[in-house]
Amino acid sequence: MKKLIYSGAGLLLIAVAFLAFNLLAGLGLGGARLDLTEQKLYTISDGTKQILGELDEPINLYFFYSDKVAKNLPALRTYAQRVEEMLKAYQAQAGGKIRLHIIDPEPFSEDEDKAAQYGLQGIPLQQGGDSIYFGLAGTNGLDDTQVIPFFALDQEEHLEYELSRLVQTLAKPELPVVGVLSGLPMTGGFDMMARQPTPPWMVLEQVRQLFQIEQLQSDVDQIPESVSVLWLVHPKNLPEQTLYAIDQFVLRGGKLMVFVDPYAEADTGDMPGEVAVDRASNIEPLFKAWGLRMVPDKVLGDGSYAMSVNRGQGQRPVRHAAWLSLPRKALDQTDIATAGLESVTVATAGMLEPLEGAKTRFTPLMQSSEYAMPFDAQRFAMLSNPEELIRELEPTGERYTIAARIDGPAQSAFPDGIEGRKDGLKQADTINVIAVADTDILSDRMWVQVQDFFGQRMPQPWADNGSFTINALDNLTGSEALISVRSRGRFSRPFVVVEELQRAAEQRFRDKEQALQARLAETEQQLAALQQSDDPSLELTPEQQGALQRFIQQKLEIRKELREVRYQLNADIEALGRTLKIINIALVPALLTLGVLALWLWRRRRRA
């Protein structure tokens, strides 16, 4: 047997068996996957599996990626490979309900026209050059279309959520209806200082992508039956009929997310440019019936979570005890509305607390640290230096609740009804309310930077305020699968070694580059002065001609040095790349070969 293995016929049989195994594996194990990445980047979450398992009709996904055009963009190619692998995982999990089409839209082709028809954005590499397409379009049996125009590299952590949201939207085209009743200009307003209209708040634009929005007036006397969730923001001085409409909506099973505030900094009054005198909002009668209250006329201060704020040009930043950055440990990680969130910011927030003897359950979602205390709300009307708050802070040792979930049996706040409406519901076996004692949490300045990207407003979140709002709405509409996808966390994996090499190279060569740039500018200035003459008929003297030639030669030498310096900036990184290539291509196979030879020699000597 051993002679057969070591003979030429044996080696031929081994080669044939190897080829046969690869052929059979390619045919039979094409869908098999093994994810060895630390963060399981290519493994879809349970929430996504639930969404894919509930698909009733097939969905077509068209992944447009300009593979040939992006051949010199390694970062983009790496991310594109991950997107493609994730889409293939979706296709495998969906059991035939997802049909994936991978398309390379070459310039001036029908595929490029198809990408443009779906609304995908081609990003030009250079002026007049080819454009890169890197987006996704999806369609269902009803010809509904959902599009991700471009997979931004800095949004990689949200990849699975974006893909799952697109699939779920195509699977269930009828979006849940969210009724919005707001006392703040969330839909946009007018900036009197800049004399131009202001855009809608980004949190509202993001909610529009997932829900159907129905705007409600402050004097509404009945919440429409079509509304699944009522989103109540800064309810100031609501009439009795509106409070009764909210009360009846909650008792009949409607879900409520309410944002109240003891001092809403975003409240600018009823008229544009007007300063609001009373910036507080509350629905005290309803809260009382539901077993909670917001502490009246008090703003929460916290020394541990105080944000650092700028006071203006030329002044050092100071810590603002009423502007809080709530870390992960301040957020309830067991509730799906806040699970997985890293940071939520609030400004001049209030405090919620349960009432004694309440039948409802009061579950805190956001809490202060123990290094906190209440301030009078009027203290902030004339606050000029936030640093004063830190000096005045006398912690009580108590943790105060900023946001809470309220559920369980509840009574009506209007047991006898109101005038003209006496036959309403008196109680409910269970209600579901999420209350937040801050409205500034929703304003753009507290959580997101908005940039214009080829005519689109692209959000760059630096806090999780928007995610909390959407998580809460998702939960209240019963869509828990998508929330579990959103809450997977971040998995940015920077090239730490490469970044350290780049920083060291910049430190070594940046000063030299600046000195060369200064020399080049001085030389070009001397050249310009020497070549300039009021009378063009005059000829340069031999000395001037010699100086001119020296300056030209010096300019060429400086430019050559500059090119060398800029090349050296990436030399260490390229050397690392070459080393890794040598290890992967040559060293590892050589070591394996030497190991096999050593084993063969050892066994041969042993037999001898």
Side-chain angles (χ1 to χ4, degrees):
M1 182 67 182
K2 292 183 178 179
K3 292 182 178 179
L4 177 63
I5 292 176
Y6 288 107
S7 66
L11 293 175
L12 180 61
L13 286 174
I14 292 173
V16 171
F18 177 74
L19 292 175
F21 173 78
N22 280 301
L23 181 62
L24 292 173
L27 294 174
L29 302 175
R33 295 174 174 274
L34 180 62
D35 188 354
L36 299 178
T37 58
E38 181 181 353
Q39 298 286 344
K40 300 299 179 184
L41 303 186
Y42 302 95
T43 302
I44 56 179
S45 66
D46 292 338
T48 295
K49 291 177 182 178
Q50 180 180 338
I51 293 171
L52 297 176
E54 295 174 353
L55 292 178
D56 295 325
E57 299 294 334
I59 289 174
N60 288 295
L61 297 181
Y62 301 92
F63 176 45
F64 291 89
Y65 168 56
S66 303
D67 183 53
K68 295 177 182 176
V69 179
K71 61 182 179 180
N72 294 323
L73 301 174
L76 185 67
R77 293 181 67 84
T78 301
Y79 186 27
Q81 182 181 3
R82 184 179 166 223
V83 174
E84 182 177 332
E85 291 293 332
M86 184 67 78
L87 289 171
K88 288 180 179 178
Y90 275 53
Q91 183 183 36
Q93 182 68 34
K97 294 296 178 65
I98 286 184
R99 301 165 182 168
L100 178 62
H101 310 269
I102 300 174
I103 302 171
D104 183 356
E106 297 184 2
F108 307 107
S109 66
E110 292 184 1
D111 289 335
E112 185 179 38
D113 294 338
K114 188 174 183 179
Q117 181 180 356
Y118 279 126
L120 270 65
Q121 296 173 343
I123 308 301
L125 284 178
Q126 57 187 1
Q127 188 71 26
D130 296 331
S131 295
I132 287 182
Y133 288 89
F134 183 32
L136 182 71
T139 61
N140 59 14
L142 300 176
D143 292 330
D144 295 315
T145 302
Q146 291 291 321
V147 175
I148 299 175
F150 196 89
F151 289 103
L153 271 68
D154 57 355
Q155 297 295 310
E156 182 180 1
E157 64 196 43
H158 304 303
L159 173 61
E160 186 182 359
Y161 171 74
E162 291 295 335
L163 295 178
S164 298
R165 181 175 64 83
L166 183 143
V167 170
Q168 188 181 62
T169 303
L170 291 171
K172 300 177 180 179
E174 293 99 12
L175 299 178
V177 178
V178 174
V180 179
L181 199 164
S182 175
L184 297 175
M186 296 176 61
T187 57
F190 191 84
D191 189 339
M192 294 298 293
M193 298 291 293
R195 296 192 176 276
Q196 61 182 11
T198 57
W201 291 8
M202 182 51 65
V203 67
L204 182 62
E205 292 194 358
Q206 291 193 342
V207 169
R208 285 187 194 277
Q209 298 176 13
L210 299 170
F211 306 94
Q212 180 180 338
I213 297 296
E214 184 170 340
Q215 295 288 342
L216 304 176
Q217 299 300 318
S218 60
D219 60 350
V220 65
D221 59 359
Q222 185 172 355
I223 309 300
E225 294 286 342
S226 60
V227 172
S228 300
V229 178
L230 177 61
W231 185 10
L232 187 59
V233 181
H234 201 45
K236 280 179 62 176
N237 304 320
L238 293 181
E240 186 181 52
Q241 64 186 34
T242 303
L243 291 175
Y244 185 70
I246 298 170
D247 173 84
Q248 292 297 298
F249 171 77
V250 171
L251 292 179
R252 71 170 185 254
K255 310 300 192 300
L256 173 67
M257 182 168 67
V258 54
F259 293 77
V260 292
D261 207 319
Y263 188 85
E265 299 191 13
D267 187 353
T268 58
D270 297 329
M271 298 297 292
E274 177 183 311
V275 178
V277 177
D278 180 15
R279 296 190 173 190
S281 59
N282 204 345
I283 49 173
E284 192 273 334
L286 300 183
F287 276 177
K288 184 177 180 180
W290 301 335
L292 77 154
R293 72 163 190 154
M294 182 177 73
V295 180
D297 305 321
K298 294 294 183 181
V299 166
L300 174 64
D302 192 323
S304 291
Y305 300 156
M307 292 178 62
S308 181
V309 299
N310 291 319
R311 298 177 56 195
Q313 190 173 5
Q315 300 189 61
R316 64 178 179 84
V318 299
R319 296 176 69 225
H320 197 314
W323 284 27
L324 311 180
S325 179
L326 306 176
R328 185 182 181 89
K329 63 181 180 181
L331 310 174
D332 181 6
Q333 296 300 317
T334 64
D335 192 287
I336 54 180
T338 46
L341 303 185
E342 300 291 339
S343 172
V344 173
T345 57
V346 298
T348 54
M351 293 156 286
L352 301 174
E353 57 186 25
L355 295 179
E356 187 176 353
K359 295 181 180 179
T360 53
R361 180 172 55 181
F362 181 93
T363 306
L365 300 180
M366 302 179 190
Q367 289 185 296
S368 71
S369 72
E370 292 84 357
Y371 197 72
M373 66 167 283
F375 287 94
D376 289 334
Q378 293 303 316
R379 174 78 174 80
F380 297 88
M382 303 299 292
L383 182 65
S384 58
N385 182 9
E387 203 169 17
E388 298 172 3
L389 300 175
I390 292 290
R391 291 196 292 265
E392 298 172 8
L393 193 67
E394 296 180 359
T396 63
E398 180 181 351
R399 294 189 70 188
Y400 297 92
T401 299
I402 301 168
R405 181 188 295 274
I406 299 93
D407 57 359
Q411 303 291 323
S412 172
F414 303 91
D416 299 326
I418 60 173
E419 185 177 354
R421 301 180 65 180
K422 305 292 186 181
D423 56 350
L425 297 172
K426 309 300 182 185
Q427 62 183 10
D429 293 334
T430 184
I431 64 172
N432 201 332
V433 175
I434 292 179
V436 183
D438 185 47
T439 57
D440 299 295
I441 187 177
L442 301 172
S443 62
D444 289 357
R445 68 172 182 161
M446 294 305 298
W447 69 280
V448 66
Q449 182 180 0
V450 182
Q451 297 179 346
D452 183 79
F453 184 77
F454 291 90
Q456 281 197 336
R457 298 179 69 226
M458 299 293 292
Q460 301 290 331
W462 50 271
D464 292 324
N465 300 21
S467 295
F468 163 70
T469 304
I470 294 175
N471 281 358
L473 289 172
D474 273 339
N475 173 237
L476 293 175
T477 57
S479 177
E480 299 183 8
L482 198 58
I483 294 175
S484 64
V485 178
R486 175 185 293 278
S487 301
R488 290 189 71 190
R490 299 177 171 85
F491 35 78
S492 176
R493 300 300 304 271
F495 292 100
V496 177
V497 176
V498 172
E499 289 179 353
E500 290 178 354
L501 287 173
Q502 193 169 22
R503 283 194 294 269
E506 287 179 354
Q507 186 175 359
R508 288 198 306 269
F509 297 111
R510 193 62 65 199
D511 293 341
K512 186 176 180 180
E513 183 183 32
Q514 291 175 354
L516 288 173
Q517 289 280 17
R519 281 179 55 196
L520 180 61
E522 182 182 355
T523 301
E524 289 179 339
Q525 185 177 2
Q526 291 172 338
L527 268 174
L530 190 59
Q531 290 174 330
Q532 186 176 6
S533 175
D534 295 333
D535 188 353
S537 63
L538 294 178
E539 294 185 0
L540 297 176
T541 65
E543 291 79 5
Q544 290 175 325
Q545 290 180 353
L548 180 62
Q549 290 300 321
R550 287 196 302 273
F551 283 137
I552 292 175
Q553 185 63 29
Q554 187 177 2
K555 176 180 176 180
L556 293 175
E557 291 175 356
I558 293 174
R559 290 175 65 88
K560 183 179 179 181
E561 288 186 63
L562 268 175
R563 286 195 297 271
E564 180 66 20
V565 167
R566 287 170 182 164
Y567 169 77
Q568 288 296 329
L569 279 173
N570 294 319
D572 290 344
I573 297 174
E574 292 175 357
L576 175 63
R578 287 193 298 270
T579 302
L580 292 175
K581 286 181 181 178
I582 291 172
I583 292 173
N584 286 320
I585 296 173
L587 183 59
V588 171
L591 290 174
L592 289 174
T593 303
L594 290 173
V596 171
L597 288 174
L599 178 62
W600 178 75
L601 287 172
W602 176 76
R603 295 184 65 180
R604 184 176 179 181
R605 289 180 179 179
R606 185 179 179 184
R607 286 196 305 271

